[in-house]
């Protein structure tokens, strides 16, 4: 590992932390806008509702793009992000939310699905389960192929810039490249699944769905920060 790799890791992690802080502020603003629109949806012009949906999806896309940049520089940082609480880290599936969970959220947040919509969501759930299994199997093969220690342990060590030598470094580089591909596949599944849901739902239903997803994200974060604070205290 090069002498400057530790400093690079620190910069990458700090850069993402800074981005995440600003992204969270925007996230809270979008939640306020979504809640207002949800309560007064019938009073809003259809184009305004569609514009809000587009902006919220773009907001999430920005997160994935920034995470992808960090992963390309040091994939271990996205497996153990320092900006997340312990609870948030424990809830991650390949560095993000599990697509199947996002689909289940549709049924709990949108109560007026038509039969056709319900059937399409159920089919999407089955397709997504298959894709999730494929990625789970690939992640397991990656770790086994290089005799890697538990991934979270490895991620934490790399986030702390531990040095490696000789064959260990070569194995680490192989692991990093393979993990980058798995993370990219998982993020692609997350985004494509979300876009398919948006296509199935009507605009007012999308507002309810995105409100629930945005609110759940913040609730999990707040609970995680409270637990971490109580543990430290």
């Amino acid at each position: 590992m090069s002498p400057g790799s530790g400093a690079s890791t620190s910069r990458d992690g700090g850069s993402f932390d800074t981005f995440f802080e600003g992204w969270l502020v925007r996230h809270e603003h979008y939640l306020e806008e979504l809640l207002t629109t949800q309560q007064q949806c019938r009073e809003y012009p259809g184009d305004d509702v569609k514009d809000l949906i587009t902006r919220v999806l773009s907001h999430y896309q920005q997160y994935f793009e920034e995470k992808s940049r960090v992963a390309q520089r040091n994939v271990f940082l996205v497996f153990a992000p320092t900006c997340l609480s312990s609870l948030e880290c424990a809830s991650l599936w390949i560095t993000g939310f599990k697509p199947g969970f996002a689909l289940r959220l549709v049924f709990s947040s949108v109560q007026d699905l038509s039969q056709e919509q319900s059937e399409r969501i159920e089919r999407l759930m089955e397709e997504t389960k298959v894709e999730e299994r494929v990625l789970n199997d690939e992640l397991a093969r990656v770790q086994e192929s290089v005799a890697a220690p538990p991934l979270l342990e490895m991620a934490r060590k790399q986030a702390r810039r531990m040095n490696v030598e000789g064959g260990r470094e070569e194995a680490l580089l192989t692991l990093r490249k393979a993990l980058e591909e798995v993370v990219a596949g998982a993020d692609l599944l997350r985004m494509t699944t979300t876009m398919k849901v948006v296509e199935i739902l009507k605009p007012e239903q999308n507002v309810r769905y995105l409100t629930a997803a945005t609110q759940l994200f913040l609730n999990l974060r707040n609970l995680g920060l409270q637990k971490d604070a109580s543990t430290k205290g």
Side-chain angles (χ1 to χ4, degrees):
M1 182 174 291
S2 64
S5 60
S8 176
T9 298
S10 179
R11 286 196 302 271
D12 293 339
S15 174
F16 184 75
D17 288 357
T18 300
F19 164 81
F20 187 66
E21 288 176 5
W23 187 86
L24 272 178
V25 172
R26 296 189 294 275
H27 197 75
E28 292 173 346
H29 290 164
Y30 275 121
L31 176 57
E32 293 176 1
E33 193 170 353
L34 284 164
L35 286 169
T36 299
T37 303
Q38 178 177 286
Q39 294 167 358
Q40 305 173 7
C41 201
R42 294 182 180 179
E43 301 176 13
Y44 279 75
D47 288 344
D48 288 354
V49 175
K50 292 178 182 178
D51 176 67
L52 174 59
I53 293 169
T54 298
R55 287 187 287 114
V56 172
L57 292 175
S58 176
H59 167 68
Y60 280 103
Q61 181 65 34
Q62 288 173 3
Y63 176 87
F64 286 117
E65 289 174 353
E66 183 63 25
K67 184 162 76 75
S68 175
R69 282 190 282 269
V70 173
Q72 289 172 14
R73 293 191 293 267
N74 188 340
V75 70
F76 295 104
L77 288 172
V78 298
F79 276 95
T82 57
C83 57
L84 298 187
S85 66
S86 300
L87 178 61
E88 289 172 295
C89 286
S91 70
L92 296 179
W93 174 81
I94 313 184
T95 77
F97 68 84
K98 197 169 188 178
F101 177 79
L103 288 170
R104 291 193 293 275
L105 187 61
V106 175
F107 288 106
S108 63
S109 61
V110 182
Q111 304 300 321
D112 59 346
L113 291 171
S114 67
Q115 182 175 345
E116 180 187 0
Q117 286 178 315
S118 295
E119 291 173 352
R120 291 177 66 184
I121 293 294
E122 288 172 356
R123 285 197 298 270
L124 183 56
M125 289 181 74
E126 292 304 314
E127 295 169 3
T128 302
K129 285 180 182 178
V130 173
E131 295 294 333
E132 288 175 347
R133 284 196 293 269
V134 169
L135 286 164
N136 281 332
D137 291 344
E138 181 60 26
L139 182 60
R141 283 195 295 270
V142 167
Q143 294 186 81
E144 292 169 0
S145 67
V146 292
L151 186 55
L152 186 56
E153 176 189 342
M154 175 68 82
R156 286 171 174 163
K157 288 180 178 179
Q158 290 306 306
R160 293 169 186 165
R161 306 180 302 281
M162 292 188 68
N163 291 324
V164 294
E165 297 179 354
R168 178 71 185 281
E169 182 172 5
E170 182 178 351
L172 179 60
L173 292 175
T174 300
L175 175 62
R176 286 177 61 170
K177 181 63 177 177
L179 287 177
E180 287 174 16
E181 295 179 0
V182 176
V183 170
D187 282 346
L188 179 61
L189 180 60
R190 278 184 271 268
M191 285 306 299
T192 55
T193 300
T194 301
M195 295 307 299
K196 288 177 181 177
V197 169
V198 170
E199 290 174 2
I200 293 171
L201 300 181
K202 298 177 181 178
E204 61 271 19
Q205 293 173 325
N206 273 315
V207 169
R208 277 176 270 154
Y209 171 64
L210 292 173
T211 299
T214 304
Q215 201 159 34
L216 180 63
F217 180 94
L218 288 174
N219 288 344
L220 179 65
R221 177 158 185 79
N222 290 334
L223 180 59
L225 292 175
Q226 291 172 9
K227 286 192 173 184
D228 282 357
S230 64
T231 300
K232 292 177 181 178

